[in-house]
Amino acid sequence: MRISTMACHALHLLLCLSEQDDDIPASASELAVCTGISEKFVQKIMRLLQSEGIVKSVRGIAGGHMLARTPDEITLADIIIAVEGGISLPGVSNVAPRGKTALDAWDMVARSMNSSLEAVTLSSVRQSSASAPRQATRRRVAQPSSPLLPETDFGGTNAKAYSLGRQRCRKPKQTVPNPSAV
């Protein structure tokens, strides 16, 4: 299974919102600066999350987005449902007896994945990222035992897109000097 960029960004945005003060909404432009995601994409993701009751939006000059539920009540399954429509089964025909067997197998896998996603809350992701030891800049983000994230080395240019909330909100993005330019 491949987790979409939109789902990864939605988790990143929710982590930033969970670090905000409860009564102060964060604007889409603040969230864009915080995460490195374009403001238009932030707005699109926020609309999807708002339609599922995960975030609420406040209109006006001091408006923005805030969590509609506590981080303990928001699960990864809620995020996948909001941005992807949930875990869907492939189009296996259940007319043939073997098609029914294949459909049953995929249904069992989908249920297992859904229960695994239901077990992980936004607050548990925050706690695991806060307790994770800081390593050198070149590191593996996902461990081989993690089925949710690709096993990739993100020491290159795309590291900010997959940091999954390790950056602090409302802090300017730090630039790394190019060693070849020196």
Side-chain angles (χ1 to χ4, degrees):
M1 180 180 150
R2 183 177 177 165
I3 303 296
S4 72
T5 302
M6 189 179 296
C8 288
H9 287 333
L11 176 59
H12 197 169
L13 289 166
L14 290 171
L15 288 168
C16 281
L17 285 177
S18 70
E19 293 176 355
Q20 303 292 330
D21 292 331
D22 291 336
D23 56 345
I24 301 175
S27 69
S29 60
E30 288 174 329
L31 290 170
V33 169
C34 165
T35 60
I37 304 169
S38 75
E39 190 173 341
K40 291 281 187 189
F41 202 38
V42 168
Q43 291 170 347
K44 179 179 181 178
I45 293 169
M46 285 296 135
R47 278 192 300 273
L48 294 171
L49 294 172
Q50 183 181 5
S51 68
E52 289 296 319
I54 297 172
V55 298
K56 59 184 174 182
S57 298
V58 178
R59 297 182 72 142
I61 194 144
H65 307 282
M66 54 184 23
L67 294 178
R69 301 185 241 160
T70 65
D72 289 331
E73 297 172 329
I74 300 170
T75 66
L76 291 183
D78 295 332
I79 298 169
I80 295 293
I81 289 169
V83 299
E84 299 296 329
I87 298 172
S88 61
L89 294 173
V92 178
S93 172
N94 61 0
V95 176
R98 293 200 176 184
K100 175 68 172 140
T101 304
L103 186 63
D104 289 343
W106 282 117
D107 185 50
M108 183 177 68
V109 169
R111 288 176 198 249
S112 175
M113 287 175 56
N114 193 46
S115 66
S116 295
L117 292 170
E118 284 285 341
V120 180
T121 65
L122 188 60
S123 64
S124 67
V125 172
R126 278 183 63 190
Q127 290 170 356
S128 67
S129 69
S131 65
R134 300 291 180 201
Q135 298 175 357
T137 55
R138 281 191 76 91
R139 65 176 181 240
R140 285 190 176 270
V141 173
Q143 299 302 319
S145 62
S146 173
L148 299 178
L149 298 172
E151 193 175 329
T152 310
D153 185 1
F154 292 119
T157 58
N158 294 330
K160 69 175 178 58
Y162 295 97
S163 65
L164 294 177
R166 288 188 168 85
Q167 299 171 6
R168 302 298 270 173
C169 289
R170 297 182 191 243
K171 288 188 179 177
K173 186 174 125 184
Q174 296 177 352
T175 58
V176 178
N178 188 353
S180 63
V182 177

